[in-house]
Amino acid sequence: MDFSTTITFNGLIQQFIVGLSRTTILFIVSSGLSLVLGVLRIPNVAHGSLYMLGAFLCYSVATLFGNSPIGFWFAILLAPIGVAIISLATERGLFCHLYDREHLMLLLFTFALMLIFHDAVKLIWGSEYRSLTPPVIFQGSLPILGMPFPKYNLFLLSIGPIVAVGLWFLTQRTKIGKIARAAAVDRDMVGAVGINVSWVFASVFVIGCFLAGLGGALVAPTQNITQGMDHTIIMEAFLIVIIGGLGNVWGALLGALIFGLTDSMGIMILPQFSIVFPYAAVVIVLIFRPKGLLRATW
Amino acid sequence: MLQVDGIQSFYGSSHILFGLSLTVNRGEIVCLLGRNGAGKSTTMKSIMGLVPPRQGSIRFKDENITGQKPYLIARMGMGFVPDDRRVFFDLTVDENLEISERRIEKSDSWNRDRVYDFFQPLKHIRSRKAGLLSGGEQQMLTIARALVTNPELLLLDEPTEGLAPMIVDMLEHRIRALRDAGLTILLAEQNQKTALGLSDRGYILDNGVIRYQGAIKDLQENEEVMRKYLLV
Ligand SMILES: Nc1ncnc2c1ncn2[C@@H]1O[C@H](COP(=O)(O)OP(=O)(O)OP(=O)(O)O)[C@@H](O)[C@H]1O
Ligand SMILES: [Mg+2]
């Protein structure tokens, strides 16, 4: 293969931007996973299922509005809210009674949730593929450096920084964020100053699940909405959280960048082996930084 | 104000407190003396609800708080200063106080400003991460953090442990000021000079059992007890 003819500078830039917009989705989903992991100390295996649920809900709401542009915006907004409400009910109804139990119980519980959500999605939406077209303003492409660039990906690119700033604000500047950071390290002491840790956990869990739902809603117009999209994302999200540093939201950003960019660049360099690149990157990171790139809260 | 009656506390299967009873009246400083591993910290944690006793009862302000959740006990007016300090390392000094602050309807209630006046050195390091503070600064912060919850009873677990004599003097001075401001204090100490100098009454704890109780004056004169249960 002659690389010089297949890889042009503009092609690289284009692929880079595609990678970045994919990174946005990965970041949104894995930051939610990392948040729950860091504060509640639970690897939420059902996180990917909530992402899938977000995608299907987004599809249904958009369809309900006859795929009108307004319907699309409603769908992007309502799908993650729906996921958040479902997760709140799950947390308050079931999960919160298990916090005093041993870790394995909690892990098993989220595993059970994954199975339940999986079947629920199958029952409600059946097992066919669904697909969603973005509203007209996001269809087609914009020329960037002479290369056509899908508008919807540009939209995704703009969401990433908003979520990152939002998370920074939430964890660093709000009281609940500060309490959550304290509870991540010493939940007993947080209780001993009179704070009901259980509600802090509920809020963090719901915010984390909201992010899973948001990721699913945002990704819906870019790919087939199918059973099984939960498995792919949960694998990727866990790897990202691991290389970023368990429980570190900025680590999730860094991990998502590494994963998303090696993925899209790999497609450019060796398309038939592209799937290997992000996993190779994960291995390399872990060889040099076994505990992840940024400080883990574990 | 506080009545602990015959509590039995465990860590998993190891039995630590064997029917321990004690009383603290409003306005007193009561100290809990005992060697390493006697069970002082476990007593404190049991009262705070962090290590709930399996038997016996704890009453606080005439309410039964046995088995109650720690955050509810804290809201009733119990402040906890643990021996290992446990400041929130990731947060700044000010944020430590911010999340703990609980306003009450009282003219002389504690808030961040008042606490900074009370522990002046904290004011200058209010934006520093608590994890970077020296031992003395951390100790001031844990006490300050308990104060902004506006407690009526303060559980102070070895506040002077491992600190330089100058800081110990300062802390003793501050603890006395708290008592003068009307706070009731249960103080666990290894440092007898501190404990005996501050307290009105004392309990001596050994292997999870109260061996002696009485006024500080009597205790100081009772050399036999002092020698037997404390390192004199
Ligand atoms: N988390 C724990 N798990 C199991 N055993 C514990 C735990 N904490 C303390 N112990 C044991 O309980 C006993 C009482 O400990 P405690 O901390 O109450 O003593 P202490 O009087 O506070 O001692 P010190 O003066 O060293 O602080 C000790 O034998 C100790 O080994
Ligand atoms: Mg102790």
Side-chain angles (χ1 to χ4, degrees), chain B residues 40-42 83 157-158:
Chain B
K40 303 182 294 294
S41 299
T42 309
D83 56 350
D157 198 351
E158 303 210 39

mmCIF file of all heavy atoms in Angstrom, chain B residues 40-42 83 157-158, ligand 2:
data_model
loop_
_atom_site.group_PDB
_atom_site.id
_atom_site.type_symbol
_atom_site.label_atom_id
_atom_site.label_comp_id
_atom_site.label_asym_id
_atom_site.label_seq_id
_atom_site.Cartn_x
_atom_site.Cartn_y
_atom_site.Cartn_z
ATOM 1 N N LYS B 40 -11.511 3.878 73.650
ATOM 2 C CA LYS B 40 -11.992 5.266 73.699
ATOM 3 C C LYS B 40 -12.634 5.678 72.371
ATOM 4 O O LYS B 40 -13.751 6.185 72.340
ATOM 5 C CB LYS B 40 -10.817 6.221 74.019
ATOM 6 C CG LYS B 40 -10.091 5.903 75.314
ATOM 7 C CD LYS B 40 -8.993 6.903 75.600
ATOM 8 C CE LYS B 40 -7.831 6.864 74.606
ATOM 9 N NZ LYS B 40 -7.056 5.609 74.633
ATOM 10 N N SER B 41 -11.894 5.426 71.288
ATOM 11 C CA SER B 41 -12.424 5.839 69.981
ATOM 12 C C SER B 41 -13.677 5.055 69.633
ATOM 13 O O SER B 41 -14.615 5.597 69.025
ATOM 14 C CB SER B 41 -11.375 5.628 68.895
ATOM 15 O OG SER B 41 -10.243 6.402 69.184
ATOM 16 N N THR B 42 -13.695 3.781 70.017
ATOM 17 C CA THR B 42 -14.874 2.965 69.731
ATOM 18 C C THR B 42 -16.089 3.509 70.474
ATOM 19 O O THR B 42 -17.206 3.529 69.937
ATOM 20 C CB THR B 42 -14.605 1.504 70.121
ATOM 21 O OG1 THR B 42 -13.373 1.104 69.531
ATOM 22 C CG2 THR B 42 -15.709 0.589 69.633
ATOM 23 N N ASP B 83 -10.319 10.883 65.920
ATOM 24 C CA ASP B 83 -8.900 10.933 66.290
ATOM 25 C C ASP B 83 -7.988 11.028 65.070
ATOM 26 O O ASP B 83 -6.945 11.652 65.114
ATOM 27 C CB ASP B 83 -8.509 9.735 67.167
ATOM 28 C CG ASP B 83 -8.824 8.405 66.518
ATOM 29 O OD1 ASP B 83 -9.517 8.384 65.487
ATOM 30 O OD2 ASP B 83 -8.384 7.377 67.052
ATOM 31 N N ASP B 157 -12.019 13.474 70.054
ATOM 32 C CA ASP B 157 -11.185 12.285 70.228
ATOM 33 C C ASP B 157 -9.709 12.636 70.038
ATOM 34 O O ASP B 157 -9.270 12.925 68.926
ATOM 35 C CB ASP B 157 -11.615 11.205 69.223
ATOM 36 C CG ASP B 157 -11.108 9.822 69.611
ATOM 37 O OD1 ASP B 157 -10.297 9.743 70.556
ATOM 38 O OD2 ASP B 157 -11.518 8.841 68.971
ATOM 39 N N GLU B 158 -8.980 12.625 71.112
ATOM 40 C CA GLU B 158 -7.548 12.930 71.129
ATOM 41 C C GLU B 158 -7.162 14.122 70.263
ATOM 42 O O GLU B 158 -6.377 14.000 69.326
ATOM 43 C CB GLU B 158 -6.752 11.694 70.673
ATOM 44 C CG GLU B 158 -7.077 10.506 71.543
ATOM 45 C CD GLU B 158 -5.929 9.529 71.671
ATOM 46 O OE1 GLU B 158 -4.790 10.010 71.773
ATOM 47 O OE2 GLU B 158 -6.188 8.315 71.682
HETATM 48 MG MG MG C 2 -8.423 6.304 69.641
#
